[in-house]
Amino acid sequence: MATFAKPENALKRAEELINVGQKQDALQALHDLITSRKYRHWQKPIERIMFKYVELCVDMRRGRFAKDGLIQYRIMCQQVNVTSLEEVIKHFMHLSAEKAEQARSQAQALEEALDVDDLEADKRPEDLMLSYVSGEKGKERSDRELVTPWFKFLWETYRTVLEILRNNSKLEALYAMTAHRAFQFCKQYKRTTEFRRLCEIIRNHLSNLNKYRDQRDRPDLSAPESLQLYLDTRFEQLKIATELELWQEAFRSVEDIHGLMCMVKKTPKASLLVVYYAKLTEIFWISASHLYHSYAWFKLFTLQKSFNKNLSQKDLQLIASSVVLAALSVAPYDQTRGASHLQLENAKERNLRMANLIGFNLDSKLERAEVLSRSSLLSELVSKGVLSCANQEVKDLYHLLEHEFLSLDLASKVQPLLTKISKLGGKLSSASSVPEIQLSQYLPAVEELATLRLLQQVSRVYQTMKIENLSQMIPYFDFPVVEKISVDAVKNNFIAMKVDHMKGVVLFGNLGLDSDELRDHLTTLAELLNTARSMIYPPVPKVEKLGDMFLGLADTVEKEHKKLLARKILIEKKKEEQERQLLEMEREEESRRLRQQKITEEAEQKRLASEFEQRKNQRIRKEIEERELEEAQALLQEAEKRAGKKKKKPILEGEKVTKQTLMEMALTEQLRERQEMEKKLQKLGKTMDYLERAKREESAPLIEATFQQHLVEERVLHEREQQLEVELSMQCHEGDLKEKNRLIRMLDNKVIFQERVLQRRQSDYDRHREEREEQIGQLIQARKQEREFKRKKIFYVTSEEERLKKLHEEEEARKREETERRRKEEAERKAKLDEIAERQRQRELELEEKERLRREALLRGSAEVSSRPNEPPPPDSRPVEPVAAAPSPAPEKYVPRFRRSEGSGQAPPPSEPDRWGRNRSDDRPSQPSDKWRSDDRRPSFGGSPRSTWSSSKIPPRGASDR
C-alpha cells in the first residue's frame, strides 16, 4: 500500500499508470488513498481524485470498487460538503449510462456491418461451428458479448447509488432521481426481474427508515418536501409496473402508497390520487375483482367531478357510464356461500384491506364487512347522482337488469343496448388523467349478468322449459356456456335448476335449506368459546430472566414430584372407578331389560284400553249422526212450510237427507230472496231518478233569475264602496301635507345630530379595530406554540403506538401457538376416548350375545316341560281358529308364543335366531292375516273378563328387550 504526502501526488501517480496501460494499479492506488485513515477530512483535491476514481471504475466495470470508494467519500463529506458527493454520484451515473448506450450502438452497428452477401468470407471455421452448435444469431451473440456486461454494470450502478443515498436527508432529490432513472431503464429494456428487485430494494429502504428513524441525518417523512418526493417515486413505480403488465408488483406498489399515506397521515394531492385510483381500476380488472374495480371507479369519478374543473361534460358522462357498467359487472350473488369459518375470516380481512386501499373506512366488527357489496354500491350510485350522469343507453340497461321483470324477452331488449354501448368510448380530453375508456370491455360481464337475471326470472315463472327454447331466449351465448354460468349460480344458491339432457329440458325448483351452512357450527362455537376463555383467564406470562427461573427450582422439583405421586394415585383411582362403572352399567342394563318388559305389558294394557275407547267413540259418533239426522228432518219440514204449496219439495224422494244438504238449500233460498230484493231496489231507484230529473228541470229557470238579480245588487254595492274609499284617501293626503309643513323646520337640527353620532361611532370603531388587531397577533403567537407542542406530542404518541403494536403482535403470535397446541392435545384426548368407547361397545355386544343364548336355553327348557290346554271356540256360525286361553302368567314370567299355539296341535317351525335375539318366524302369524281378521271377534268388556286376540299381535320377546 503506497503512501502519499499529498492527495495530488496520488492523482499524478494514477495518471502515470494509466498512460502506461496499468489501469488496475492506478485504481488500486486511488482506492488505497480514499480508504486511508490519514485522509478522513474533505479537501478539494479529493473531489478530483473521486472523479478520476469513478472514471476508472466505469472503464474497467469494477462496481465493487466504486461502491467502497463512494461509501468512504460519503463519510468524508457528509457533514462538510454534501454537494460534492452529489456531483460525483451524478458523474458516475452519467458515465455508466453513456457506456451502456455506446455498447448498444456498437452492437447495432456491428449487426448492420454483418449484413453482407458472403457470410463465409469474414468468419473463421470456429465461428461457423459455434453458430451451428449454439443456434445463436449474430445479434444475440453481439448483445451477449457487448451489451449485456454494460447493462449489468449500469444496473449495479443504480443499486449502488440507491444504497448509498438511502439514509441521507440532504440528497433526497438525488435518491428520487436515481429511482426514476432505474424505473425508466427497466421500462425501456423490458427488464421485469430487475424491476421487481428494484421495488423490493426501495421497499426495504423505507421500512429501515421507519425502524431507525431516531438516527442522525435520516429523512423526515413528516416534512412536505420529503413526503412529496417519496410519493412521486411510488407513483412512478406504479405507472411502470402497469406498463410492464406486472400486476402483482403494481398491487404491492399500491399497498406501498397506501402505507406511506397512513404513515404520515396526510392525504396527497388530488392529481396523484386520480392516478392512484386509475391504476387501481386496471389492477382489479386484470385480477377479475369486479367489486373492488367498481369501487375504485366510483372513487375516481368522485375525484374527477370534485377537483377537475376543466373536465368536459362528454368525458364526465363517459366516466359515469364506466362506473355504472363496472358495478353491473359484479356477480349478483355471494360467492363465499358454503365456505369454512377460516375462509370467511380471510374474506373479511381481505375486504377490510381492500376497503382501506380504496379509501372506504369499514367497521372491523361487521360480519364479513357487508358494506362492500354490490347492492350498497348501486344504492350509492343512485343517491350520489352517478347514474344520472351516465349515457341514456347505460341508464336503460341498468333499469332493465335491476328493476324490470321480463322473463321471456329480457335478452332481446338488452342486446340492442349492448350493441350501442360497444360503440361508445375513446380517448378523453387532456384535462382527464384517464387517457382512454372503452365500454366494450364490460360487455361479457354484462351479458353474463343478463343471462343470470333471465334464468332467475324464468325460474320464478316456469317449472320446466325445453333447452331449445332457452337457447333461443339467450342469443349471445351457446347453451354449454349458459350451463356453465348456471352451475356457478346454483352452487352459490342464486337459482335452483337442473338440466336433463336425455329429455332435453331444464327443470326449475325452489331454493331450500342448505345443510352446508350448518356444517361447521360446532367448530365455530368451540373456537369462540376457547377465545372467550383465553380472554377471561389469560395465560401466565413466561419467565424472562434466567435468575427468576432458578430462584424457586428446589420448591418446583418437590412440587412436581408430589404432583407425579398424586397423579399415579389418581390414575389408580380412575381405573378402579372405570371397573366400578362397568359393573354398574351391567346392572343398569339388566334393570333396563326388566323395565322394558314391564313397559311392554303396560303397552298391551294401553292397547286394550284404546280399543275400548275407540268403540266408545264410535258409539258416540253414531249417536251424533242420528241427532243430526233428526235436526235435518226438522229443517226439512221447516223449509217445506216456508216454501208453501206453490213451491216444489226441496229434495227428491229417497234422497239421503243430511244437515249439510239442508243448510246449503237454506243458503240457496236466502240468495234467491236477496236477488229478488235487489231487483226491487233497482226499480225503485230508477223511479227516484226520473222524479229528481223532473224537479231539476223545473227549478233551473228560477235559479237563473235569482242569479241575475244578485249580480245587479252586488254591482251597486261595489260602486258605493269605491266612492267612499276615494273620499277617505283625499282626507288622509291633506292631513299628511299639514304634518310635513310642521316638521320641516327641524331638518337642520337633525343633520347636526346625525354628524355628531357618526363621528362618535367612527372613533369607537377605530379604537376597537386596534384592540382586535392586537388580540389577533397574540392569538397567532399562541397557536404557533400550540401547534409546535402538538407536533411533538403526535410524534411521541406515534412512536409509542408502534411499540405497543409490536408487543401486541408478539402476544397474538404466542396466543396462536398456545391455541394450536391445545387443539392438538384435545384431538389426541378425543381419539383415546373414542378407542375406549369402541372397546366398551364390543364388550356390551358380547354380553348381549351371552344373555340371548341363556334366554333361548331357558325357553327351550320350558317348552319341553310345560303345556297348555286348548280353549273351546266361541259360539259362532263361522269357524274360528283355536286361541290359547291360559291363565294369566305370574309376574316377571314370560310365556313363549309356541306355547300359546300348542293347544291347536300346530308346532311352530324351527327357525334360526336373528342378531336381535328373536326368531325370524316370530314376526309372521301362523294363519293368513286376512282370514284371521275376518274371523276375529272383538271382546266385550261389559261381559266376560276373558279376551281373545290374535297371537301375532303380541310383540316378540327379543323386540321388547330392544
Side-chain angles (χ1 to χ4, degrees):
M1 177 178 176
T3 57
F4 300 97
K6 295 181 179 180
E8 294 86 347
N9 298 336
L11 183 60
K12 292 179 181 178
R13 177 62 178 166
E15 290 177 350
E16 292 174 357
L17 291 172
I18 291 171
N19 292 330
V20 296
Q22 299 181 2
K23 293 184 179 181
Q24 179 62 35
D25 295 337
L27 180 63
Q28 187 64 41
L30 294 179
H31 182 266
D32 294 340
L33 175 70
I34 294 169
T35 57
S36 175
R37 293 179 176 270
K38 184 177 179 181
Y39 304 102
R40 286 297 179 90
H41 300 287
W42 183 83
Q43 302 176 20
K44 187 65 177 176
I46 296 180
E47 182 178 357
R48 295 197 300 272
I49 291 173
M50 282 302 302
F51 278 110
K52 179 60 71 175
Y53 180 78
V54 297
E55 288 176 2
L56 287 173
C57 290
V58 171
D59 288 339
M60 302 176 65
R61 294 201 296 267
R62 297 300 177 88
R64 181 69 64 182
F65 277 85
K67 185 176 182 179
D68 293 342
L70 289 173
I71 290 174
Q72 293 296 327
Y73 191 64
R74 181 188 63 182
I75 296 172
M76 291 182 194
C77 60
Q78 176 70 36
Q79 305 298 330
V80 181
N81 189 2
V82 183
T83 310
S84 177
L85 176 63
E86 182 179 0
E87 294 297 328
V88 171
I89 289 175
K90 286 183 178 179
H91 184 62
F92 179 45
M93 288 193 297
H94 174 70
L95 290 176
S96 300
E98 186 177 1
K99 288 289 185 180
E101 190 63 30
Q102 287 178 2
R104 185 166 173 269
S105 302
Q106 184 179 357
Q108 187 175 0
L110 182 61
E111 181 64 24
E112 293 175 356
L114 288 175
D115 189 10
V116 295
D117 295 335
D118 190 2
L119 293 176
E120 298 181 1
D122 297 332
K123 286 189 176 181
R124 297 175 298 172
E126 296 82 2
D127 296 336
L128 290 174
M129 185 175 296
L130 180 63
S131 65
Y132 290 141
V133 173
S134 62
E136 290 182 338
K137 297 181 180 179
K139 185 177 186 304
E140 294 176 355
R141 193 178 302 111
S142 61
D143 289 345
R144 181 171 55 82
E145 294 176 357
L146 298 176
V147 181
T148 304
W150 282 110
F151 276 6
K152 287 183 178 179
F153 182 75
L154 179 59
W155 169 246
E156 189 177 357
T157 300
Y158 288 138
R159 291 192 59 172
T160 300
V161 174
L162 291 174
E163 185 68 24
I164 292 172
L165 301 178
R166 63 189 178 92
N167 296 328
N168 200 321
S169 60
K170 299 178 182 178
L171 296 177
E172 291 175 345
L174 182 59
Y175 179 86
M177 184 191 71
T178 306
H180 282 255
R181 285 189 179 182
F183 289 144
Q184 293 299 325
F185 167 79
C186 296
K187 174 187 174 182
Q188 183 178 0
Y189 301 109
K190 308 294 182 183
R191 306 305 303 173
T192 57
T193 306
E194 285 77 11
F195 180 78
R196 292 192 187 96
R197 292 174 183 170
L198 178 61
C199 296
E200 192 64 31
I201 289 170
I202 295 176
R203 199 173 291 117
N204 291 333
H205 288 175
L206 183 60
S207 62
N208 292 331
L209 182 63
N210 294 324
K211 189 175 181 182
Y212 306 104
R213 64 174 61 187
D214 296 333
Q215 293 184 5
R216 189 177 64 177
D217 297 330
R218 296 275 174 165
D220 185 12
L221 293 179
S222 59
E225 296 82 5
S226 301
L227 175 62
Q228 189 62 36
L229 287 173
Y230 275 88
L231 282 176
D232 291 341
T233 303
R234 274 10 180 232
F235 276 104
E236 184 68 21
Q237 173 182 334
L238 177 59
K239 290 179 182 178
I240 301 301
T242 54
E243 291 177 2
L244 292 177
E245 296 183 356
L246 299 174
W247 303 110
Q248 187 175 4
E249 196 60 44
F251 183 74
R252 297 184 68 185
S253 303
V254 168
E255 288 184 326
D256 293 342
I257 295 172
H258 180 262
L260 194 60
M261 289 190 293
C262 294
M263 189 185 304
V264 297
K265 297 180 180 180
K266 185 177 180 181
T267 305
K269 297 178 181 179
S271 57
L272 294 179
L273 282 179
V274 168
V275 177
Y276 173 82
Y277 286 115
K279 298 302 180 183
L280 265 182
T281 56
E282 296 181 19
I283 295 169
F284 287 141
W285 181 255
I286 293 297
S287 63
S289 300
H290 293 169
L291 180 61
Y292 307 136
H293 170 77
S294 56
Y295 269 98
W297 259 120
F298 178 53
K299 293 291 289 186
L300 180 61
F301 172 83
T302 306
L303 283 173
Q304 290 278 29
K305 188 176 180 181
S306 302
F307 298 98
N308 197 346
K309 304 301 181 183
N310 298 326
L311 193 67
S312 63
Q313 185 64 28
K314 182 180 178 181
D315 296 341
L316 185 64
Q317 191 177 23
L318 198 57
I319 295 175
S321 302
S322 300
V323 176
V324 177
L325 289 176
L328 291 177
S329 301
V330 183
Y333 47 79
D334 187 9
Q335 297 182 354
T336 60
R337 182 181 178 274
S340 63
H341 178 70
L342 180 61
Q343 291 174 347
L344 292 177
E345 288 296 323
N346 292 336
K348 177 181 177 182
E349 183 179 356
R350 183 173 64 253
N351 282 341
L352 289 172
R353 181 181 173 191
M354 295 304 170
N356 292 329
L357 287 180
I358 298 171
F360 284 85
N361 295 321
L362 300 183
D363 187 5
S364 60
K365 297 181 180 179
L366 290 175
E367 188 66 20
R368 295 174 56 197
E370 298 90 350
V371 179
L372 281 186
S373 63
R374 185 177 185 273
S375 58
S376 61
L377 176 60
L378 290 175
S379 60
E380 286 267 353
L381 297 184
V382 175
S383 60
K384 296 296 178 62
V386 180
L387 186 62
S388 60
C389 297
N391 290 325
Q392 186 61 37
E393 293 82 4
V394 177
K395 295 179 185 177
D396 297 341
L397 182 64
Y398 170 81
H399 287 291
L400 278 175
L401 294 177
E402 297 298 325
H403 299 292
E404 297 293 337
F405 189 89
L406 303 169
S407 58
L408 295 179
D409 53 353
L410 178 63
S412 61
K413 292 190 176 182
V414 167
Q415 192 172 11
L417 295 177
L418 294 180
T419 305
K420 293 180 181 179
I421 291 173
S422 63
K423 299 177 182 178
L424 299 177
K427 294 185 178 180
L428 303 184
S429 62
S430 59
S432 175
S433 63
V434 183
E436 185 178 3
I437 292 178
Q438 293 294 338
L439 299 183
S440 58
Q441 65 176 348
Y442 299 107
L443 293 186
V446 175
E447 289 175 353
E448 184 175 348
L449 174 64
T451 304
L452 289 173
R453 291 296 186 199
L454 188 142
L455 291 175
Q456 184 185 29
Q457 295 175 8
V458 167
S459 65
R460 295 177 182 175
V461 178
Y462 298 95
Q463 292 183 351
T464 307
M465 179 175 285
K466 291 185 178 180
I467 294 177
E468 296 83 7
N469 297 338
L470 187 60
S471 301
Q472 292 175 2
M473 292 168 59
I474 306 174
Y476 32 78
F477 283 141
D478 295 331
F479 186 76
V481 181
V482 176
E483 189 174 4
K484 182 179 179 182
I485 295 171
S486 63
V487 166
D488 294 334
V490 171
K491 178 182 177 182
N492 294 283
N493 203 25
F494 183 70
I495 57 176
M497 61 176 290
K498 295 180 181 179
V499 180
D500 192 347
H501 288 282
M502 295 181 65
K503 298 180 180 179
V505 295
V506 178
L507 305 175
F508 298 99
N510 296 325
L511 296 174
L513 178 64
D514 194 348
S515 60
D516 292 341
E517 298 178 356
L518 307 176
R519 182 179 57 187
D520 299 330
H521 64 287
L522 291 178
T523 306
T524 306
L525 178 61
E527 291 177 357
L528 293 176
L529 290 176
N530 194 11
T531 305
R533 180 182 176 279
S534 62
M535 294 174 65
I536 297 173
Y537 303 103
V540 181
K542 295 182 180 179
V543 182
E544 297 180 356
K545 296 183 179 179
L546 188 62
D548 297 338
M549 293 176 62
F550 294 100
L551 186 62
L553 184 59
D555 297 336
T556 305
V557 172
E558 184 67 24
K559 289 179 181 179
E560 291 294 327
H561 181 64
K562 291 180 180 179
K563 286 181 180 179
L564 291 175
L565 294 177
R567 179 177 175 81
K568 184 177 180 181
I569 296 171
L570 182 62
I571 290 172
E572 294 294 334
K573 288 183 178 180
K574 285 185 176 180
K575 289 181 179 179
E576 295 175 359
E577 182 68 21
Q578 187 175 7
E579 293 177 357
R580 187 186 63 79
Q581 288 179 358
L582 291 175
L583 295 175
E584 187 69 26
M585 289 174 65
E586 291 177 358
R587 288 195 295 269
E588 288 180 358
E589 183 67 24
E590 184 65 22
S591 62
R592 189 183 300 112
R593 185 184 62 79
L594 296 175
R595 284 197 303 270
Q596 186 66 29
Q597 183 178 357
K598 186 177 180 180
I599 289 170
T600 305
E601 295 175 356
E602 292 178 355
E604 184 65 24
Q605 294 177 1
K606 288 181 180 179
R607 187 184 64 81
L608 297 175
S610 64
E611 289 180 357
F612 173 74
E613 189 69 26
Q614 287 177 2
R615 283 191 293 272
K616 183 179 178 181
N617 292 335
Q618 288 177 0
R619 187 179 66 252
I620 294 172
R621 193 179 301 111
K622 187 175 181 181
E623 292 176 357
I624 291 173
E625 289 178 356
E626 291 176 354
R627 191 180 300 113
E628 287 183 352
L629 182 59
E630 293 176 357
E631 292 178 357
Q633 293 292 340
L635 288 173
L636 178 60
Q637 294 175 4
E638 184 179 355
E640 290 177 354
K641 291 179 182 179
R642 193 167 52 248
K645 296 182 179 180
K646 296 182 181 180
K647 302 293 182 180
K648 294 182 180 180
K649 291 185 179 181
I651 57 175
L652 300 174
E653 293 295 335
E655 186 179 357
K656 187 178 179 181
V657 180
T658 60
K659 187 177 180 180
Q660 183 68 22
T661 305
L662 295 176
M663 291 179 66
E664 291 178 356
M665 292 170 58
L667 290 175
T668 305
E669 185 66 24
Q670 291 179 4
L671 181 60
R672 185 183 59 77
E673 293 177 357
R674 189 180 299 114
Q675 290 176 354
E676 291 179 356
M677 183 61 67
E678 287 179 355
K679 289 180 181 179
K680 292 180 181 180
L681 290 176
Q682 288 178 0
K683 185 176 180 181
L684 181 61
K686 189 176 295 186
T687 304
M688 296 296 294
D689 290 341
Y690 290 155
L691 181 60
E692 184 67 22
R693 183 171 59 187
K695 287 178 7 181
R696 293 191 180 185
E697 288 177 355
E698 291 295 331
S699 61
L702 300 176
I703 292 173
E704 181 66 23
T706 306
F707 175 70
Q708 295 297 333
Q709 184 180 357
H710 279 298
L711 284 179
V712 173
E713 293 176 357
E714 288 177 357
R715 188 180 295 109
V716 173
L717 180 61
H718 173 68
E719 292 175 354
R720 188 185 305 116
E721 290 180 353
Q722 188 174 9
Q723 184 65 28
L724 182 61
E725 184 69 25
V726 170
E727 293 177 357
L728 291 174
S729 177
M730 293 176 64
Q731 292 177 5
C732 291
H733 180 65
E734 292 176 357
D736 292 341
L737 289 176
K738 292 179 182 179
E739 186 68 19
K740 177 182 178 183
N741 294 330
R742 187 177 68 84
L743 295 176
I744 199 170
R745 57 189 180 83
M746 293 184 289
L747 182 62
D748 297 335
N749 295 330
K750 174 253 184 184
V751 173
I752 295 170
F753 177 75
Q754 182 179 359
E755 292 178 353
R756 189 184 304 126
V757 171
L758 289 175
Q759 290 176 1
R760 185 174 68 252
R761 291 182 179 177
Q762 182 66 31
S763 61
D764 291 341
Y765 168 74
D766 295 338
R767 179 172 54 80
H768 285 301
R769 185 181 62 183
E770 293 175 357
E771 294 176 356
R772 181 63 178 173
E773 291 177 354
E774 183 177 358
Q775 290 177 359
I776 289 173
Q778 296 176 358
L779 184 61
I780 290 173
Q781 186 66 23
R783 287 184 178 177
K784 286 183 180 179
Q785 296 176 359
E786 184 179 357
R787 281 197 300 271
E788 185 67 24
F789 174 73
K790 284 184 178 180
R791 191 180 297 110
K792 294 179 179 179
K793 185 176 179 181
I794 289 171
F795 174 77
Y796 173 75
V797 169
T798 307
S799 303
E800 189 66 18
E801 286 178 354
E802 291 182 355
R803 186 180 66 81
L804 293 176
K805 182 179 179 181
K806 184 177 179 182
L807 293 176
H808 180 68
E809 290 176 354
E810 294 176 354
E811 183 68 17
E812 289 293 332
R814 187 182 61 78
K815 287 182 179 179
R816 285 194 296 271
E817 293 176 358
E818 184 68 19
T819 303
E820 184 67 20
R821 183 181 62 78
R822 290 180 181 177
R823 187 181 64 78
K824 291 181 179 179
E825 292 177 355
E826 184 67 20
E828 294 175 358
R829 186 179 66 83
K830 186 177 179 182
K832 291 180 180 179
L833 291 177
D834 292 341
E835 185 179 356
I836 293 171
E838 182 64 22
R839 290 201 299 269
Q840 180 66 23
R841 190 177 65 82
Q842 294 292 338
R843 184 172 180 180
E844 288 177 358
L845 291 176
E846 292 175 0
L847 291 175
E848 288 178 359
E849 184 67 20
K850 291 178 181 180
E851 180 65 20
R852 184 182 62 79
L853 295 175
R854 183 183 63 82
R855 199 160 45 240
E856 289 180 356
L858 291 175
L859 291 175
R860 293 193 197 97
S862 60
E864 295 173 358
V865 176
S866 62
S867 63
R868 297 174 60 184
N870 295 333
E871 184 179 0
D876 196 357
S877 59
R878 294 171 297 179
V880 180
E881 292 187 5
V883 181
S888 61
E892 303 294 329
K893 185 176 180 181
Y894 173 76
V895 179
R897 180 178 298 172
F898 65 86
R899 293 294 300 162
R900 300 192 194 109
S901 60
E902 266 186 356
S904 60
Q906 296 177 356
S911 62
E912 296 180 358
D914 61 3
R915 62 188 297 267
W916 300 107
R918 64 184 181 186
N919 294 332
R920 300 185 184 273
S921 60
D922 290 347
D923 297 333
R924 298 188 300 270
S926 59
Q927 297 294 332
S929 59
D930 295 334
K931 181 178 179 181
W932 182 257
R933 291 193 188 95
S934 64
D935 295 340
D936 188 15
R937 294 291 183 270
R938 293 196 179 110
S940 176
F941 286 86
S944 174
R946 184 181 58 178
S947 302
T948 59
W949 58 81
S950 172
S951 62
S952 63
K953 296 183 180 179
I954 301 176
R957 178 76 172 184
S960 64
D961 292 341
R962 291 294 175 268

